[in-house]
Amino acid sequence: MNDIKTLGEFIIERQKEFNDADGNLSKLLSSIKLATKIVNREVSKAGLVDILGTAGEENIQGEEQQKLDVFANSRFIEALRTRKVVCGVASEENDDFIAFDKDCYDGKYVVLMDPLDGSSNIDVNVSIGTIFSVYKRVSPIGGPVQLEDFLQPGINQVAAGYVLYGSSTMLVYTTGCGVNGFTIDPSLGTLYLSHPNMTAPKEGKIYSVNEANYNSFTPGLKEYINYCRDSEVKKPYTARYIGSLIADFHRNLVKGGVYMYPQTASAPNGKLRLLYESNPLAFIIEQAGGKASDGKQRIMEIEPTELHQRSPLIIGSANMVDKVLSYTKN
Ligand code: AHM
Ligand code: MG
């Protein structure tokens, strides 16, 4: 039998490697593990909502049903609050950041997250995801969390990851020492190391972009897409766009590809959020040997000015990102 390792064992084993002498980051990752299992349980029952009750109604057990994105948001926040290693959370679901009470003032980390990305896909049983990003606070330990703790460039991240609720559920994360992926065994509810040391192929065949927006792309990006479209002759490209960021990102990470959400007429800064989506995925792809850019600069070097700031995103296999940039940078 192969060496079987659970996520819990892996976190403890790697504690020293990511300089976690006091074990606080390990506790933080464990709370994400717990919330992942709870959210996964609900996501897998999503199609039963009509039978068990809809949002705002009670199900047959008398429990109130919540929309899944609201549910995921509160579960991740509560899991992070109870371990007292995090002093605050910023979420795509909340207008402002959430400052935890006094008993969490000694927490030296903050977490930023998109608790359920692609949630419009739930109704049609398409894969969705959770994305998270962890920073050390910059305000003094012992006091309440501040806005500046969240407005840090991506290069300051100490950990980042995502959960993909797909045909199986996976948690993939990095603490800056490579990328590792874990798959839930649904019968046991345990996450096992299934994808050790994930690396993004340098080259790929897949380009992922919402081509319905083609007319509002820059001339350079249009040219790149035409270069990909001309695949029958010499270039073996293929288009794949699920419209669920984590599913598109994960596929490209495994198989090789590039995902693009550029500026469009209706979204002049792109659609995706720098702090909750672009930065954590940029950290992961770089750790896997890939690249992430907003078209002008490395995603992780952007200095954020507001919580819900958006950024264009070009992310994936290193050579493919470079190729896109060679068309778009002029
Ligand atoms: P959300 O955070 O509101 O769920 O939106 C993000 C989603 C991504 O998962 C996906 O890649 C993108 O929006 C798709 O957008 P579009 O339909 O404009 O192509
Ligand atoms: Mg999102």
Side-chain angles (χ1 to χ4, degrees):
M1 195 193 259
N2 291 334
D3 194 17
I4 295 177
K5 197 166 288 165
T6 67
L7 174 57
E9 288 166 344
F10 185 86
I11 292 171
I12 301 298
E13 190 182 292
R14 295 291 177 101
Q15 195 161 304
K16 277 199 205 89
E17 199 175 284
F18 52 81
N19 200 12
D20 185 29
D22 57 12
N24 281 348
L25 187 55
S26 298
K27 282 189 195 162
L28 192 164
L29 294 170
S30 297
S31 60
I32 287 176
K33 178 183 77 174
L34 174 65
T36 294
K37 291 180 184 182
I38 296 171
V39 172
N40 176 55
R41 189 182 62 197
E42 294 307 304
V43 166
S44 63
K45 291 193 295 197
L48 294 170
V49 140
D50 285 344
I51 303 167
L52 302 177
T54 53
E57 286 178 7
E58 288 190 349
N59 64 17
I60 47 174
Q61 282 91 35
E63 299 155 342
E64 201 189 330
Q65 293 286 299
Q66 284 183 316
K67 280 181 70 186
L68 267 178
D69 40 11
V70 180
F71 177 85
N73 194 39
S74 59
R75 286 309 137 123
F76 274 95
I77 292 170
E78 281 325 306
L80 290 163
R81 197 198 301 266
T82 48
R83 303 276 168 113
K84 302 188 176 36
V85 293
V86 168
C87 55
V89 170
S91 163
E92 203 186 281
E93 285 285 324
N94 298 94
D95 291 341
D96 208 349
F97 64 86
I98 295 152
F100 289 168
D101 290 340
K102 265 203 176 85
D103 57 343
C104 294
Y105 281 4
D106 286 339
K108 56 180 181 184
Y109 297 106
V110 293
V111 173
L112 296 96
M113 64 175 181
D114 182 352
L116 217 56
D117 181 72
S119 48
S120 62
N121 287 312
I122 294 170
D123 292 348
V124 286
N125 214 344
V126 167
S127 302
I128 47 179
T130 294
I131 315 170
F132 63 91
S133 170
V134 182
Y135 294 81
K136 269 197 182 133
R137 68 190 295 180
V138 290
S139 64
I141 291 178
V145 71
Q146 305 292 329
L147 178 61
E148 74 215 42
D149 296 320
F150 299 99
L151 296 184
Q152 300 189 52
I155 43 170
N156 289 1
Q157 288 173 103
V158 294
Y162 61 82
V163 183
L164 170 61
Y165 310 94
S167 37
S168 60
T169 294
M170 282 193 73
L171 188 152
V172 174
Y173 81 99
T174 183
T175 51
C177 310
V179 179
N180 290 282
F182 301 80
T183 304
I184 290 192
D185 176 331
S187 60
L188 299 173
T190 305
L191 281 147
Y192 290 102
L193 178 63
S194 52
H195 294 62
N197 296 320
M198 295 176 79
T199 51
K202 289 268 174 258
E203 276 295 352
K205 296 179 176 175
I206 298 168
Y207 73 102
S208 315
V209 64
N210 188 341
E211 288 192 59
N213 299 325
Y214 181 87
N215 285 342
S216 64
F217 291 163
T218 59
L221 188 61
K222 283 181 180 167
E223 241 185 277
Y224 174 74
I225 288 168
N226 286 324
Y227 161 82
C228 293
R229 282 174 174 174
D230 190 20
S231 67
E232 216 165 277
V233 191
K234 50 188 185 303
K235 304 172 208 88
Y237 291 109
T238 188
R240 292 285 183 273
Y241 189 73
I242 296 169
S244 189
L245 176 61
I246 292 306
D248 279 312
F249 176 85
H250 181 76
R251 183 204 53 237
N252 291 356
L253 168 61
V254 173
K255 292 194 162 180
V258 64
Y259 173 97
M260 295 163 280
Y261 208 114
Q263 47 274 76
T264 64
S266 60
N269 252 328
K271 178 183 180 187
L272 302 173
R273 318 277 179 147
L274 175 64
L275 298 178
Y276 313 119
E277 291 162 328
S278 304
N279 265 337
L281 297 185
F283 189 21
I284 293 165
I285 202 75
E286 287 198 8
Q287 283 295 313
K291 288 190 176 177
S293 167
D294 71 348
K296 294 196 179 83
Q297 60 175 326
R298 187 180 166 208
I299 285 286
M300 290 210 289
E301 287 176 0
I302 299 173
E303 289 286 342
T305 53
E306 49 183 290
L307 279 178
H308 294 279
Q309 183 170 338
R310 295 175 197 268
S311 73
L313 180 64
I314 302 160
I315 191 164
S317 294
N319 293 353
M320 291 188 84
V321 172
D322 285 343
K323 187 83 184 173
V324 178
L325 296 178
S326 74
Y327 277 88
T328 58
K329 261 197 166 161
N330 310 316

